[in-house]
Amino acid sequence: MRIQTRALFTGMMLPMLISAVSAYPASAINLDAQKSPTFLLSQATQAGELAGSINSISGQTVEFAQSNGQTRNITISRRVINRLGLRAGSRIAVRLNSRGVATSVRVLRPIRALG
């Protein structure tokens, strides 16, 4: 009797499991409908960073065009400008203190697609 009960239980559960697994993809969401905006990983900014490009450099004063279209003057030390090879057109992410002096600067380089 015990073997028959086990066979009956297995015989009932196996089709139920198969039907549950086959029905699951039908209830999955359509990922194409909820596409997030595409961006290059190297251009992703961290919290507190401003991303944009350099319009001009005069001494330690850098005219910085933010991604949102605003232009502002920021201060970046000559040492950092030379070390990173910053020039007009360079895309950077920068953190500023309350006086507009850069506390960290990193160059945003585009990622080449493979293929």
Side-chain angles (χ1 to χ4, degrees):
M1 184 76 166
R2 187 171 175 99
I3 293 176
Q4 290 176 346
T5 306
R6 188 174 287 169
L8 179 64
F9 179 73
T10 304
M12 289 175 44
M13 290 305 292
L14 190 59
M16 287 175 51
L17 180 62
I18 291 171
S19 65
V21 170
S22 65
Y24 180 72
S27 65
I29 61 170
N30 183 359
L31 294 177
D32 291 332
Q34 296 181 351
K35 281 191 175 179
S36 61
T38 56
F39 60 91
L40 297 176
L41 289 178
S42 67
Q43 294 178 346
T45 55
Q46 300 171 358
E49 282 186 324
L50 301 174
S53 60
I54 296 174
N55 288 342
S56 65
I57 300 174
S58 176
Q60 292 185 341
T61 303
V62 175
E63 185 178 295
F64 179 68
Q66 293 177 223
S67 302
N68 64 6
Q70 293 180 344
T71 302
R72 63 193 296 177
N73 288 330
I74 60 174
T75 303
I76 301 176
S77 72
R78 289 298 302 167
R79 195 182 93 221
V80 172
I81 292 172
N82 292 334
R83 182 173 50 89
L84 295 177
L86 300 180
R87 60 185 183 283
S90 295
R91 297 215 13 98
I92 61 172
V94 62
R95 286 180 197 247
L96 303 173
N97 66 14
S98 60
R99 296 181 317 249
V101 177
T103 57
S104 73
V105 180
R106 60 187 181 97
V107 177
L108 300 177
R109 292 184 172 84
I111 298 174
R112 284 193 233 176
L114 301 174

